[in-house]
């Protein structure tokens, strides 16, 4: 069993404890739970390592949990646990594009890592985590539907525009967009990309970026600039939330930047309520 400064790489023997963390806060854990439910804790299948910290030197119930993969996602743990995770992360070197998750853990972990990994491109310390488990309070847009695989080329420009607006970088910059195109194509093939088309063009889009057995996390909400302010985004998001809650029997969740008061108000009209607080550090 690998150990380093109190943190260790978890394996299948820890699965019950890991699931216990997920069950305690399924909305906050959705991104990681979705991976573990499919792949277990084997790093090769998981696409990353699950790190745990124990309060005792022998194997026991984990009191800290962090996923290290394309993103670094601390889900649980005290400041001491975050120091343990930071030490392991420093030794490995930065391999992630962002640090994201519950704000308390993310900001504590970033405080430890900043001297070595900083400066960050951006720190979004205030991101309300919102959820709805019942039918939306407003009428979902009936024209919003799943995107078909044959519509990838029509959908992709909207997805790229959303990414640039939200993240601040062009997802096509490094590899000509091959990686991002593959990711979007994967979401479409899984039936998790939704859009409203008008005259063959996307005017609204959103995706279910991660989906566990209990929660689906909505991401990439976007409205074409010339159609903003008319309620398309609100009704469209309600359509995706309706599919999650009514058809897929999941809680619908999302997180939003704290400064985006317009979006927060729209989500509350749909019926979303704040259930937690996220933070994101972008590299």
């Amino acid at each position: 069993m690998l150990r380093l400064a109190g943190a260790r790489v978890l394996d299948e023997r820890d699965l019950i404890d890991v699931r216990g963390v997920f069950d305690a806060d399924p909305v906050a854990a959705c991104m990681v739970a979705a991976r573990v439910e499919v792949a277990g804790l084997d790093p090769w299948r998981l696409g990353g390592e699950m790190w745990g910290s124990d309060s005792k030197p022998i194997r026991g119930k984990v009191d800290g949990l962090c996923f290290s993969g394309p993103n670094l996602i601390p889900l649980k743990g005290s400041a001491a646990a975050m120091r343990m995770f930071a030490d392991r992360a420093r030794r490995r070197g930065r391999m992630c594009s962002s640090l994201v998750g519950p704000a308390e853990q993310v900001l504590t972990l970033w405080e430890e890592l900043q001297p070595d990994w900083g400066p960050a491109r951006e720190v979004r310390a205030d991101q309300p985590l919102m959820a709805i488990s019942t039918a939306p309070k407003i009428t979902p847009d009936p024209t919003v539907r799943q995107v078909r695989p044959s519509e990838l080329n029509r959908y992709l420009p909207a997805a790229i525009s959303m990414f640039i607006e939200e993240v601040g970088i062009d997802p096509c910059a490094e590899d000509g967009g091959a990686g991002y195109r593959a990711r979007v194509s994967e979401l479409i093939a899984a039936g998790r990309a939704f859009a409203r088309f008008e005259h063959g063009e996307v005017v609204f889009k959103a995706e279910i970026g991660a989906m566990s057995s209990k929660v689906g996390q909505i991401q990439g909400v976007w409205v074409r600039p010339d159609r903003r302010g008319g309620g398309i985004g609100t009704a469209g998001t309600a359509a995706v939330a309706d599919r999650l809650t009514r058809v897929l029997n999941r809680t619908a969740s999302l997180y939003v930047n704290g400064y985006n008061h317009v979006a927060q108000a729209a989500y509350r009209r749909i019926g979303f309520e704040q259930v937690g607080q996220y933070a994101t550090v972008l590299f």
Side-chain angles (χ1 to χ4, degrees), residues 90-146:
R90 277 193 296 266
R91 290 171 183 261
R92 291 191 67 187
R94 185 173 70 80
M95 303 173 67
C96 58
S97 61
S98 71
L99 202 170
V100 60
E104 180 181 354
Q105 281 71 37
V106 165
L107 297 177
T108 302
L109 181 54
W110 177 236
E111 185 176 356
E112 295 287 337
L113 288 172
Q114 185 174 11
D116 298 284
W117 284 13
R121 182 163 56 83
E122 186 178 356
V123 177
R124 300 177 179 180
D126 176 20
Q127 295 181 308
L129 179 64
M130 309 181 78
I132 180 174
S133 299
T134 58
K137 293 180 179 179
I138 69 169
T139 303
D141 185 344
T143 69
V144 170
R145 59 170 175 81
Q146 288 175 310

Side-chain angles (χ1 to χ4, degrees), residues 141 144 196 198 203-204 223 227-237:
D141 185 344
V144 170
R196 172 173 170 167
E198 291 182 358
V203 296
F204 164 83
V223 177
R227 299 301 303 277
R228 293 174 185 175
I232 288 178
T234 306
T237 305

Side-chain angles (χ1 to χ4, degrees), residues 156-172:
L156 190 60
I160 293 171
S161 294
M162 175 282 304
F163 194 96
I164 293 172
E165 287 184 31
E166 176 62 24
V167 182
I169 59 175
D170 185 346
C172 302

